[in-house]
Amino acid sequence: LNEEQLFREFKRRWADVASTVVEILLHRYHKLLQMDKPDFPTVSKYNLWCEDFDESTSLEDVFKHGTLSIGFIGLSEAMEILTGRKYYLDENVREKALDFVRYMREYTDSCIAKYNLNFSLLATSGELISGRFPEIDRQYFESRILENGFYTNSFHVEIDSGLTAFEKIRMEGAFHKLCNGGCITYVELGEAPLGNVEGLMELIDCAIESGTHYLGFNF
C-alpha cells in the first residue's frame, strides 16, 4: 500500500475499534441508569452535578450531562510507523497527524448527533497503557519503534525530540482545540523556575497564542 492507502486503512481500522468502544461506553452508561439513588450517597450529599440530584425524577436526568470519552495515545509513533518520518520534523506528516485527530473528533461528534449524549475525544495521559500496549503489540508486529517500550502520551511530541519549550507548545497547540474531552501540554524545565516569573509568563503567553487549553511545567 502507498502512504495514502495506508492512512485510509488506518482510519478504517480505528473506526472499527471506536465503534466497539462506543458500545462499551453506552453499555456502562445504561447499567449506571439501572442503579438506585441511594447507590450514590456522595453525589446526593454534595450535589455534584448540574441537576439537583435529590429533586430529579430519574438518574438519567442527572447522568446524561456526563461525558463518554474515546481516548488515544501514541499519535507520534503511529505517524512514524505509517510514514517512516517523525511528525514534529516533517510538515506534511504533521498535517496528516492533525487530519487523523480531526477524523477522530468528527467521529465523536457524530456520536453526539446519533445518541444525544456528550461523546468527546480525550488526549489520554495513558500512565499505565503507554507501557502495556507496546508490550502487547510486540507479540503481533515487528518495528524498531516498539522496542522503546512505551508509547508517547496523546498527541505529544516525543520526549527526546530536542524541540525547545516554545517549539513544543506551538507544535502541540494545534491539537488542543480538537480534543474536547481533555488534553495537556507540558514542558520540562532544567530546574525549579524560582525568581523567573518573566520566563514563565513568556511560555504562558506562547501557550495562549497557540490555543493551548492546559499547560503544565515539570522540573
Side-chain angles (χ1 to χ4, degrees), residues 70-83:
I70 298 177
F72 68 95
I73 63 171
L75 181 70
S76 181
E77 287 81 6
M79 294 301 108
E80 186 172 357
I81 287 172
L82 289 167
T83 68

Side-chain angles (χ1 to χ4, degrees), residues 46-69:
Y46 296 104
N47 206 20
L48 298 177
W49 291 68
C50 58
E51 299 285 348
D52 189 301
F53 186 78
D54 292 323
E55 296 299 323
S56 298
T57 57
S58 71
L59 290 178
E60 185 175 14
D61 290 339
V62 178
F63 292 133
K64 68 182 181 182
H65 298 293
T67 58
L68 296 91
S69 294

Side-chain angles (χ1 to χ4, degrees), residues 6-215:
L6 279 173
F7 269 88
R8 284 198 297 271
E9 178 63 11
F10 186 45
K11 287 180 177 178
R12 186 191 68 78
R13 293 192 184 194
W14 181 88
D16 284 345
V17 174
S19 67
T20 301
V21 174
V22 169
E23 289 181 18
I24 293 169
L25 289 170
L26 290 172
H27 176 76
R28 185 169 64 181
Y29 173 69
H30 290 298
K31 284 290 186 182
L32 188 72
L33 299 186
Q34 292 173 19
M35 300 178 75
D36 298 315
K37 283 189 177 182
D39 294 320
F40 306 95
T42 304
V43 177
S44 176
K45 181 177 180 180
Y46 296 104
N47 206 20
L48 298 177
W49 291 68
C50 58
E51 299 285 348
D52 189 301
F53 186 78
D54 292 323
E55 296 299 323
S56 298
T57 57
S58 71
L59 290 178
E60 185 175 14
D61 290 339
V62 178
F63 292 133
K64 68 182 181 182
H65 298 293
T67 58
L68 296 91
S69 294
I70 298 177
F72 68 95
I73 63 171
L75 181 70
S76 181
E77 287 81 6
M79 294 301 108
E80 186 172 357
I81 287 172
L82 289 167
T83 68
R85 307 186 300 281
K86 296 183 182 295
Y87 92 81
Y88 53 86
L89 297 177
D90 189 300
E91 183 65 27
N92 183 54
V93 181
R94 179 170 172 268
E95 287 302 316
K96 289 183 181 296
L98 278 167
D99 175 71
F100 183 70
V101 176
R102 192 176 297 112
Y103 172 80
M104 292 192 289
R105 171 61 185 275
E106 289 171 353
Y107 182 92
T108 57
D109 284 351
S110 73
C111 291
I112 295 174
K114 182 175 181 179
Y115 298 105
N116 197 32
L117 290 167
N118 296 321
F119 281 86
S120 64
L121 181 65
L122 172 62
T124 312
S125 58
E127 301 300 342
L128 173 65
I129 58 175
S130 60
R132 178 171 173 264
F133 280 8
E135 183 179 332
I136 296 170
D137 288 346
R138 279 198 299 269
Q139 300 174 31
Y140 302 97
F141 308 104
E142 290 185 7
S143 172
R144 63 174 182 78
I145 296 170
L146 295 174
E147 299 309 313
N148 290 337
F150 61 89
Y151 290 141
T152 304
N153 288 345
S154 64
F155 50 68
H156 290 173
V157 301
E158 293 168 27
I159 195 167
D160 59 352
S161 67
L163 297 182
T164 68
F166 292 99
E167 290 170 331
K168 184 178 191 293
I169 291 170
R170 294 188 185 103
M171 183 74 65
E172 295 180 0
F175 294 97
H176 277 246
K177 68 178 181 180
L178 297 171
C179 299
N180 58 340
C183 53
I184 185 174
T185 283
Y186 64 87
V187 295
E188 297 276 357
L189 305 176
E191 58 187 18
L194 302 176
N196 190 10
V197 174
E198 295 84 359
L200 288 179
M201 285 307 304
E202 287 182 7
L203 291 170
I204 292 170
D205 288 341
C206 177
I208 293 170
E209 293 167 4
S210 303
T212 300
H213 294 169
Y214 182 8
L215 177 66

